[in-house]
Amino acid sequence: MVRVGEILYTNVHPFFFYMDREKLSAHSRFIPSIPARLNDAMSRGEIDVGAISSFAYGKDAENLVLMPDLAVTSHGSVGSIFLFSKVPIEELDGKKIALTHSSATSTHLLKIILQRFYGHEKLSYTTMMPVYQDMIAEHDACLLIGDDAIQASWLEQGQMYVYDLGEKWYHFTKMPMTFAVFAMRKQALEQEPEALKALYYDWKQSEEQARADDYEQLAHSVVKDHGGNVRFWQGYFRKLQYRFGPREQRGLLHFYRLGFEEGYLPYDVDHLNVWDIDIGIHSIN
Ligand SMILES: C=C(O[C@@H]1C=C(C(=O)O)C=C[C@H]1O)C(=O)O
């Protein structure tokens, strides 16, 4: 049985919406959670495959392999990873920032942006539950991701400075930013290649079907759970990129390089191990 991590946020829904879960249940068990929990479960060997934070792949790269061409990426603004701040971003030095406990990529991305790109030196970070009002009550700024960030942006009435981290990353690097990757444990690939192939083809097919429908059916279902309207969600999905080609890979390697230089990664992740279904694992740098 393959244990499959399923991120609960809307941004990964295109991959899961049209999956044939009944057919897959013959060999796969789905475990839904927030990214940070799935990252930990993957590194402890409690799940075998699924979407995790791209940062978590960097931390555990030697034990993991990436599924080809699946990711959650933005080329510029992402629409659901926001820093809400009481002061302009240039004035955040010396201030207190609350971070959502659900993220690994965006929390490190924020630190890189503030420290490396804005040159801020003295920041205090507190990791918290993603409850906007609590976070902002005692801090100068807070970082939210996923549906929590979207909901907070709807609540916020224009009193705060709101920064989209995908846009900031693009502004300073001119590169895309990959937030989630689909990774699997090397051991699982040795033991369950056929089940992993079936999952891969279903994820790919689901994403293609969602895109071919211009995300309409998917958006209708998201409105029921999260509010908003169909056009909003269609626009959100259209803007996100679900490919993981050479440009996205270069952007991710650049993120790892900066993460290593800033001391967040224990080693320089200078290549990605990607699964080629016909050939096996190959290294990209
Ligand atoms: C685009 C997003 O990407 C998510 C951000 C993640 C992180 O910061 O660790 C992890 C998984 C992604 O699905 C989002 O949540 O808004």
Side-chain angles (χ1 to χ4, degrees), residues 55-62 108 256-270:
F55 184 81
Y57 169 81
K59 261 174 74 180
D60 201 14
E62 288 318 305
H108 291 97
Y256 290 149
R257 167 66 46 80
L258 298 183
F260 172 65
E261 287 174 6
E262 293 296 314
Y264 304 129
L265 285 170
Y267 45 83
D268 190 8
V269 183
D270 58 3

PDB file of all heavy atoms in Angstrom, residues 55-62 108 256-270:
ATOM      1  N   PHE A  55      10.841  23.419  -0.139  1.00  0.00           N
ATOM      2  CA  PHE A  55      11.942  23.530   0.829  1.00  0.00           C
ATOM      3  C   PHE A  55      12.219  22.176   1.503  1.00  0.00           C
ATOM      4  O   PHE A  55      13.373  21.829   1.761  1.00  0.00           O
ATOM      5  CB  PHE A  55      11.605  24.588   1.887  1.00  0.00           C
ATOM      6  CG  PHE A  55      12.723  24.837   2.855  1.00  0.00           C
ATOM      7  CD1 PHE A  55      13.780  25.675   2.518  1.00  0.00           C
ATOM      8  CD2 PHE A  55      12.736  24.220   4.098  1.00  0.00           C
ATOM      9  CE1 PHE A  55      14.832  25.885   3.406  1.00  0.00           C
ATOM     10  CE2 PHE A  55      13.777  24.426   4.984  1.00  0.00           C
ATOM     11  CZ  PHE A  55      14.823  25.265   4.648  1.00  0.00           C
ATOM     12  N   ALA A  56      11.167  21.424   1.780  1.00  0.00           N
ATOM     13  CA  ALA A  56      11.321  20.129   2.452  1.00  0.00           C
ATOM     14  C   ALA A  56      12.060  19.132   1.557  1.00  0.00           C
ATOM     15  O   ALA A  56      12.819  18.288   2.047  1.00  0.00           O
ATOM     16  CB  ALA A  56       9.957  19.575   2.858  1.00  0.00           C
ATOM     17  N   TYR A  57      11.852  19.208   0.253  1.00  0.00           N
ATOM     18  CA  TYR A  57      12.643  18.362  -0.652  1.00  0.00           C
ATOM     19  C   TYR A  57      14.127  18.725  -0.511  1.00  0.00           C
ATOM     20  O   TYR A  57      14.989  17.853  -0.415  1.00  0.00           O
ATOM     21  CB  TYR A  57      12.196  18.517  -2.118  1.00  0.00           C
ATOM     22  CG  TYR A  57      13.174  17.849  -3.063  1.00  0.00           C
ATOM     23  CD1 TYR A  57      13.138  16.479  -3.283  1.00  0.00           C
ATOM     24  CD2 TYR A  57      14.187  18.598  -3.690  1.00  0.00           C
ATOM     25  CE1 TYR A  57      14.076  15.856  -4.109  1.00  0.00           C
ATOM     26  CE2 TYR A  57      15.128  17.987  -4.508  1.00  0.00           C
ATOM     27  CZ  TYR A  57      15.069  16.619  -4.720  1.00  0.00           C
ATOM     28  OH  TYR A  57      16.017  16.011  -5.520  1.00  0.00           O
ATOM     29  N   GLY A  58      14.417  20.032  -0.472  1.00  0.00           N
ATOM     30  CA  GLY A  58      15.804  20.481  -0.347  1.00  0.00           C
ATOM     31  C   GLY A  58      16.470  19.934   0.906  1.00  0.00           C
ATOM     32  O   GLY A  58      17.644  19.560   0.885  1.00  0.00           O
ATOM     33  N   LYS A  59      15.735  19.841   1.985  1.00  0.00           N
ATOM     34  CA  LYS A  59      16.297  19.376   3.260  1.00  0.00           C
ATOM     35  C   LYS A  59      16.599  17.885   3.252  1.00  0.00           C
ATOM     36  O   LYS A  59      17.436  17.410   3.988  1.00  0.00           O
ATOM     37  CB  LYS A  59      15.298  19.664   4.396  1.00  0.00           C
ATOM     38  CG  LYS A  59      15.646  20.919   5.152  1.00  0.00           C
ATOM     39  CD  LYS A  59      14.590  21.275   6.159  1.00  0.00           C
ATOM     40  CE  LYS A  59      14.589  20.400   7.385  1.00  0.00           C
ATOM     41  NZ  LYS A  59      13.523  20.795   8.327  1.00  0.00           N
ATOM     42  N   ASP A  60      15.856  17.156   2.425  1.00  0.00           N
ATOM     43  CA  ASP A  60      15.935  15.688   2.479  1.00  0.00           C
ATOM     44  C   ASP A  60      16.217  15.115   1.091  1.00  0.00           C
ATOM     45  O   ASP A  60      15.833  13.988   0.785  1.00  0.00           O
ATOM     46  CB  ASP A  60      14.566  15.187   3.001  1.00  0.00           C
ATOM     47  CG  ASP A  60      14.651  13.789   3.597  1.00  0.00           C
ATOM     48  OD1 ASP A  60      15.765  13.319   3.845  1.00  0.00           O
ATOM     49  OD2 ASP A  60      13.587  13.183   3.794  1.00  0.00           O
ATOM     50  N   ALA A  61      16.933  15.894   0.260  1.00  0.00           N
ATOM     51  CA  ALA A  61      17.038  15.576  -1.171  1.00  0.00           C
ATOM     52  C   ALA A  61      17.654  14.208  -1.448  1.00  0.00           C
ATOM     53  O   ALA A  61      17.304  13.570  -2.443  1.00  0.00           O
ATOM     54  CB  ALA A  61      17.832  16.666  -1.889  1.00  0.00           C
ATOM     55  N   GLU A  62      18.541  13.755  -0.583  1.00  0.00           N
ATOM     56  CA  GLU A  62      19.224  12.492  -0.876  1.00  0.00           C
ATOM     57  C   GLU A  62      18.299  11.278  -0.732  1.00  0.00           C
ATOM     58  O   GLU A  62      18.557  10.225  -1.306  1.00  0.00           O
ATOM     59  CB  GLU A  62      20.479  12.332  -0.011  1.00  0.00           C
ATOM     60  CG  GLU A  62      21.606  13.265  -0.446  1.00  0.00           C
ATOM     61  CD  GLU A  62      21.772  13.345  -1.977  1.00  0.00           C
ATOM     62  OE1 GLU A  62      21.933  12.293  -2.626  1.00  0.00           O
ATOM     63  OE2 GLU A  62      21.721  14.467  -2.529  1.00  0.00           O
ATOM     64  N   HIS A 108      10.741  30.404   4.653  1.00  0.00           N
ATOM     65  CA  HIS A 108      12.150  30.633   4.303  1.00  0.00           C
ATOM     66  C   HIS A 108      12.283  31.636   3.169  1.00  0.00           C
ATOM     67  O   HIS A 108      13.221  32.434   3.144  1.00  0.00           O
ATOM     68  CB  HIS A 108      12.839  29.305   3.985  1.00  0.00           C
ATOM     69  CG  HIS A 108      12.989  28.456   5.208  1.00  0.00           C
ATOM     70  ND1 HIS A 108      12.106  27.459   5.534  1.00  0.00           N
ATOM     71  CD2 HIS A 108      13.878  28.529   6.227  1.00  0.00           C
ATOM     72  CE1 HIS A 108      12.454  26.933   6.695  1.00  0.00           C
ATOM     73  NE2 HIS A 108      13.512  27.560   7.140  1.00  0.00           N
ATOM     74  N   TYR A 256      17.348  27.236  -3.461  1.00  0.00           N
ATOM     75  CA  TYR A 256      18.150  26.379  -2.581  1.00  0.00           C
ATOM     76  C   TYR A 256      19.529  27.000  -2.316  1.00  0.00           C
ATOM     77  O   TYR A 256      20.050  26.932  -1.208  1.00  0.00           O
ATOM     78  CB  TYR A 256      18.325  24.981  -3.187  1.00  0.00           C
ATOM     79  CG  TYR A 256      17.057  24.150  -3.218  1.00  0.00           C
ATOM     80  CD1 TYR A 256      16.847  23.221  -4.232  1.00  0.00           C
ATOM     81  CD2 TYR A 256      16.085  24.268  -2.234  1.00  0.00           C
ATOM     82  CE1 TYR A 256      15.701  22.436  -4.265  1.00  0.00           C
ATOM     83  CE2 TYR A 256      14.934  23.501  -2.257  1.00  0.00           C
ATOM     84  CZ  TYR A 256      14.745  22.588  -3.284  1.00  0.00           C
ATOM     85  OH  TYR A 256      13.609  21.827  -3.310  1.00  0.00           O
ATOM     86  N   ARG A 257      20.123  27.575  -3.352  1.00  0.00           N
ATOM     87  CA  ARG A 257      21.437  28.198  -3.184  1.00  0.00           C
ATOM     88  C   ARG A 257      21.351  29.309  -2.124  1.00  0.00           C
ATOM     89  O   ARG A 257      22.156  29.358  -1.187  1.00  0.00           O
ATOM     90  CB  ARG A 257      21.909  28.750  -4.544  1.00  0.00           C
ATOM     91  CG  ARG A 257      23.099  29.697  -4.519  1.00  0.00           C
ATOM     92  CD  ARG A 257      24.392  29.029  -4.074  1.00  0.00           C
ATOM     93  NE  ARG A 257      24.630  27.752  -4.711  1.00  0.00           N
ATOM     94  CZ  ARG A 257      25.133  27.587  -5.946  1.00  0.00           C
ATOM     95  NH1 ARG A 257      25.457  28.640  -6.669  1.00  0.00           N
ATOM     96  NH2 ARG A 257      25.315  26.387  -6.440  1.00  0.00           N
ATOM     97  N   LEU A 258      20.343  30.174  -2.254  1.00  0.00           N
ATOM     98  CA  LEU A 258      20.205  31.272  -1.290  1.00  0.00           C
ATOM     99  C   LEU A 258      19.873  30.717   0.102  1.00  0.00           C
ATOM    100  O   LEU A 258      20.385  31.222   1.107  1.00  0.00           O
ATOM    101  CB  LEU A 258      19.127  32.264  -1.743  1.00  0.00           C
ATOM    102  CG  LEU A 258      19.387  32.982  -3.079  1.00  0.00           C
ATOM    103  CD1 LEU A 258      18.286  33.988  -3.362  1.00  0.00           C
ATOM    104  CD2 LEU A 258      20.737  33.680  -3.079  1.00  0.00           C
ATOM    105  N   GLY A 259      19.060  29.680   0.148  1.00  0.00           N
ATOM    106  CA  GLY A 259      18.707  29.059   1.429  1.00  0.00           C
ATOM    107  C   GLY A 259      19.944  28.491   2.118  1.00  0.00           C
ATOM    108  O   GLY A 259      20.096  28.592   3.337  1.00  0.00           O
ATOM    109  N   PHE A 260      20.840  27.919   1.333  1.00  0.00           N
ATOM    110  CA  PHE A 260      22.090  27.389   1.880  1.00  0.00           C
ATOM    111  C   PHE A 260      22.983  28.538   2.361  1.00  0.00           C
ATOM    112  O   PHE A 260      23.503  28.514   3.487  1.00  0.00           O
ATOM    113  CB  PHE A 260      22.802  26.562   0.804  1.00  0.00           C
ATOM    114  CG  PHE A 260      24.173  26.123   1.194  1.00  0.00           C
ATOM    115  CD1 PHE A 260      24.367  25.230   2.246  1.00  0.00           C
ATOM    116  CD2 PHE A 260      25.292  26.609   0.514  1.00  0.00           C
ATOM    117  CE1 PHE A 260      25.643  24.831   2.615  1.00  0.00           C
ATOM    118  CE2 PHE A 260      26.569  26.219   0.887  1.00  0.00           C
ATOM    119  CZ  PHE A 260      26.747  25.329   1.933  1.00  0.00           C
ATOM    120  N   GLU A 261      23.108  29.552   1.534  1.00  0.00           N
ATOM    121  CA  GLU A 261      23.980  30.685   1.907  1.00  0.00           C
ATOM    122  C   GLU A 261      23.478  31.394   3.165  1.00  0.00           C
ATOM    123  O   GLU A 261      24.255  31.915   3.948  1.00  0.00           O
ATOM    124  CB  GLU A 261      24.080  31.684   0.739  1.00  0.00           C
ATOM    125  CG  GLU A 261      24.926  31.139  -0.391  1.00  0.00           C
ATOM    126  CD  GLU A 261      24.944  32.031  -1.626  1.00  0.00           C
ATOM    127  OE1 GLU A 261      24.383  33.152  -1.586  1.00  0.00           O
ATOM    128  OE2 GLU A 261      25.508  31.594  -2.639  1.00  0.00           O
ATOM    129  N   GLU A 262      22.162  31.413   3.346  1.00  0.00           N
ATOM    130  CA  GLU A 262      21.596  32.074   4.539  1.00  0.00           C
ATOM    131  C   GLU A 262      21.572  31.135   5.753  1.00  0.00           C
ATOM    132  O   GLU A 262      21.137  31.526   6.829  1.00  0.00           O
ATOM    133  CB  GLU A 262      20.165  32.558   4.245  1.00  0.00           C
ATOM    134  CG  GLU A 262      20.077  33.675   3.212  1.00  0.00           C
ATOM    135  CD  GLU A 262      20.753  34.971   3.661  1.00  0.00           C
ATOM    136  OE1 GLU A 262      20.539  35.387   4.809  1.00  0.00           O
ATOM    137  OE2 GLU A 262      21.524  35.535   2.867  1.00  0.00           O
ATOM    138  N   GLY A 263      21.999  29.880   5.559  1.00  0.00           N
ATOM    139  CA  GLY A 263      22.109  28.953   6.689  1.00  0.00           C
ATOM    140  C   GLY A 263      20.836  28.165   6.995  1.00  0.00           C
ATOM    141  O   GLY A 263      20.737  27.546   8.051  1.00  0.00           O
ATOM    142  N   TYR A 264      19.873  28.123   6.071  1.00  0.00           N
ATOM    143  CA  TYR A 264      18.629  27.385   6.340  1.00  0.00           C
ATOM    144  C   TYR A 264      18.694  25.944   5.850  1.00  0.00           C
ATOM    145  O   TYR A 264      17.899  25.114   6.263  1.00  0.00           O
ATOM    146  CB  TYR A 264      17.425  28.077   5.699  1.00  0.00           C
ATOM    147  CG  TYR A 264      17.287  29.503   6.143  1.00  0.00           C
ATOM    148  CD1 TYR A 264      17.143  30.529   5.227  1.00  0.00           C
ATOM    149  CD2 TYR A 264      17.331  29.824   7.499  1.00  0.00           C
ATOM    150  CE1 TYR A 264      17.042  31.845   5.635  1.00  0.00           C
ATOM    151  CE2 TYR A 264      17.243  31.130   7.921  1.00  0.00           C
ATOM    152  CZ  TYR A 264      17.098  32.147   6.979  1.00  0.00           C
ATOM    153  OH  TYR A 264      17.019  33.430   7.393  1.00  0.00           O
ATOM    154  N   LEU A 265      19.604  25.672   4.925  1.00  0.00           N
ATOM    155  CA  LEU A 265      19.769  24.300   4.425  1.00  0.00           C
ATOM    156  C   LEU A 265      21.157  23.813   4.827  1.00  0.00           C
ATOM    157  O   LEU A 265      22.135  24.578   4.737  1.00  0.00           O
ATOM    158  CB  LEU A 265      19.617  24.260   2.895  1.00  0.00           C
ATOM    159  CG  LEU A 265      18.193  24.395   2.357  1.00  0.00           C
ATOM    160  CD1 LEU A 265      18.197  24.597   0.840  1.00  0.00           C
ATOM    161  CD2 LEU A 265      17.354  23.159   2.715  1.00  0.00           C
ATOM    162  N   PRO A 266      21.261  22.566   5.244  1.00  0.00           N
ATOM    163  CA  PRO A 266      22.549  22.072   5.740  1.00  0.00           C
ATOM    164  C   PRO A 266      23.594  21.880   4.638  1.00  0.00           C
ATOM    165  O   PRO A 266      24.781  21.810   4.918  1.00  0.00           O
ATOM    166  CB  PRO A 266      22.192  20.731   6.380  1.00  0.00           C
ATOM    167  CG  PRO A 266      20.896  20.331   5.764  1.00  0.00           C
ATOM    168  CD  PRO A 266      20.185  21.590   5.390  1.00  0.00           C
ATOM    169  N   TYR A 267      23.151  21.731   3.404  1.00  0.00           N
ATOM    170  CA  TYR A 267      24.115  21.591   2.300  1.00  0.00           C
ATOM    171  C   TYR A 267      23.572  22.272   1.055  1.00  0.00           C
ATOM    172  O   TYR A 267      22.389  22.587   0.969  1.00  0.00           O
ATOM    173  CB  TYR A 267      24.436  20.114   2.004  1.00  0.00           C
ATOM    174  CG  TYR A 267      23.207  19.239   1.952  1.00  0.00           C
ATOM    175  CD1 TYR A 267      22.440  19.144   0.805  1.00  0.00           C
ATOM    176  CD2 TYR A 267      22.791  18.519   3.093  1.00  0.00           C
ATOM    177  CE1 TYR A 267      21.300  18.362   0.765  1.00  0.00           C
ATOM    178  CE2 TYR A 267      21.647  17.739   3.069  1.00  0.00           C
ATOM    179  CZ  TYR A 267      20.915  17.671   1.898  1.00  0.00           C
ATOM    180  OH  TYR A 267      19.779  16.909   1.869  1.00  0.00           O
ATOM    181  N   ASP A 268      24.496  22.498   0.106  1.00  0.00           N
ATOM    182  CA  ASP A 268      24.131  23.169  -1.131  1.00  0.00           C
ATOM    183  C   ASP A 268      23.433  22.156  -2.050  1.00  0.00           C
ATOM    184  O   ASP A 268      24.073  21.222  -2.522  1.00  0.00           O
ATOM    185  CB  ASP A 268      25.430  23.687  -1.771  1.00  0.00           C
ATOM    186  CG  ASP A 268      25.154  24.598  -2.941  1.00  0.00           C
ATOM    187  OD1 ASP A 268      23.979  24.944  -3.171  1.00  0.00           O
ATOM    188  OD2 ASP A 268      26.121  24.962  -3.637  1.00  0.00           O
ATOM    189  N   VAL A 269      22.149  22.315  -2.245  1.00  0.00           N
ATOM    190  CA  VAL A 269      21.415  21.393  -3.128  1.00  0.00           C
ATOM    191  C   VAL A 269      21.668  21.854  -4.566  1.00  0.00           C
ATOM    192  O   VAL A 269      20.992  22.740  -5.075  1.00  0.00           O
ATOM    193  CB  VAL A 269      19.898  21.423  -2.823  1.00  0.00           C
ATOM    194  CG1 VAL A 269      19.152  20.406  -3.684  1.00  0.00           C
ATOM    195  CG2 VAL A 269      19.637  21.163  -1.350  1.00  0.00           C
ATOM    196  N   ASP A 270      22.688  21.257  -5.210  1.00  0.00           N
ATOM    197  CA  ASP A 270      23.069  21.769  -6.526  1.00  0.00           C
ATOM    198  C   ASP A 270      22.512  20.924  -7.670  1.00  0.00           C
ATOM    199  O   ASP A 270      22.829  21.136  -8.823  1.00  0.00           O
ATOM    200  CB  ASP A 270      24.595  21.894  -6.625  1.00  0.00           C
ATOM    201  CG  ASP A 270      25.273  20.551  -6.379  1.00  0.00           C
ATOM    202  OD1 ASP A 270      24.553  19.542  -6.188  1.00  0.00           O
ATOM    203  OD2 ASP A 270      26.510  20.505  -6.381  1.00  0.00           O
TER     204      ASP A 270
END
